[in-house]
Amino acid sequence: MTTSALFTPHTIRSTSFRNRIWVSPLCQYSVDERDGVPTDWHLVHLGSFARGGAGLVMTEATAVTPVGRISPEDTGIWDDDQQAAWARIVDFIHSQGAAAGVQLAHAGRKASTWKEWGPESGTQPEADGGWTMVAPSAIPFTGYGTPHSLTVEEIAETVADFARAARRSIDAGFDVLEIHAAHGYLVHQFLSPLSNERTDAYGGSLENRARVLVEIIRAVRDEVGDDVPLFVRFSATDYAEGGWDREQTATVAAWSRDAGADLFDISTGGLVRDVTIPLSPGYQVPFADFVKRESDVEVNAVGLITEAAQAEEIVASGQADAVMMGREIMRDPHFPLRAAHELGVEIDYFPIQYHRARWRRG
């Protein structure tokens, strides 16, 4: 048996993860009735990753309020029907030995869009089921409609929406909560000076631009108590001059840790179009490593991580405490089982129903 950093269990607060291969939030645009209620698709989609050996299975971006959905076909966690549907999915994830996480999200100016394979792109008009978008400032995302600039009172209500969604998530059985502050969605819009031109307490200085995130973290922590792991997903750079960057990310990660967050899920981009992103295997890992070292926080890495040896090296070298996988684990929901075989690691959670297909050495 080989010792593996990737397959070493990890504990954050009261939750233990059986390994460091975690499933990224993956938008599915598959709600049937535009009511935010996850369906059998979500059960099988997320359940397959748990059956496949992942340590943590994270939901797609799950809206804390109807206007926070990316599209009308996205999931939510603002009412009883959604909570009950999620509880069924969480129960199955747990039955397969994985931890269950929910990404609490608000799309801000990137809300009310057509789904990925819809008839059009950009903002979906109200006549077709869309709604008025909100943002820190009335600055549209390129190709989208102009959002409504949130009032201070509306910001306070949005913070409360995150806290209420966090309570529903815990009541549904989720082990981990993640606040989505990346990819150009609402919290990222507050963080970046390219999308935040406010002149009040929520704009201008870095402290002011980070205020809404810190308020959300504190409100969520107050709501769910000390036992629940709380993650924050950051885009560590806008890839644009004058925008959000890795140094600001590291500073705000430290503030977020002090406010009650535990681990930072480091991605990049999404705030503005027409930027050059240097895509290559593991291209975002250096950003995770930078935030980890500069802020003395736990991080996970994500982005074109596709091979077992690559993932092992990221964790073993200390660049990240875990890896999140998206496209590769969609291609092969049993990637963790295959990775254990490739790395020579014996695990005790290969599904017994599949033992006849288990890889044999020699």
Side-chain angles (χ1 to χ4, degrees), residues 6 16 43 62 69 80 99 104 109-110 113 124 136-137 171 207 225 259 267 271-272 280 352:
L6 194 61
S16 293
L43 171 66
T62 298
R69 292 170 294 167
D80 291 344
L104 302 178
R109 70 179 188 173
K110 292 177 77 175
T113 66
Q124 189 167 165
S137 301
D171 290 347
E207 181 180 12
S267 186
L271 187 89
V272 292
S280 62
I352 194 168

Side-chain angles (χ1 to χ4, degrees), residues 251-268:
T251 298
V252 176
W255 294 347
S256 298
R257 175 202 58 212
D258 294 344
D262 299 301
L263 179 141
F264 300 89
D265 175 7
I266 306 299
S267 186
T268 59

Side-chain angles (χ1 to χ4, degrees), residues 79-108:
D79 71 22
D80 291 344
D81 290 340
Q82 296 159 358
Q83 180 179 319
W86 281 123
R88 171 181 175 237
I89 294 168
V90 169
D91 285 347
F92 183 80
I93 292 171
H94 285 160
S95 77
Q96 302 304 301
V102 58
Q103 186 184 63
L104 302 178
H106 193 305

Side-chain angles (χ1 to χ4, degrees), residues 78 82 90 96 106 121 166 176 184 195 246 262 265 276 278 298:
W78 67 78
Q82 296 159 358
V90 169
Q96 302 304 301
H106 193 305
S121 61
V176 174
S195 49
R246 67 177 193 167
D262 299 301
D265 175 7
T276 300
E298 291 195 17

Side-chain angles (χ1 to χ4, degrees), residues 12 14 43 49 168 283-284 326 345:
I12 301 175
S14 64
L43 171 66
F49 302 134
R168 285 191 176 278
Y283 71 104
Q284 294 176 147
V345 177

Side-chain angles (χ1 to χ4, degrees), residues 310-330:
Q310 175 195 19
E312 173 70 20
E313 171 60 22
I314 291 166
V315 177
S317 65
Q319 295 175 89
D321 299 281
V323 295
M324 276 196 177
M325 305 188 76
R327 289 176 175 84
E328 183 61 25
I329 210 162
M330 283 195 287

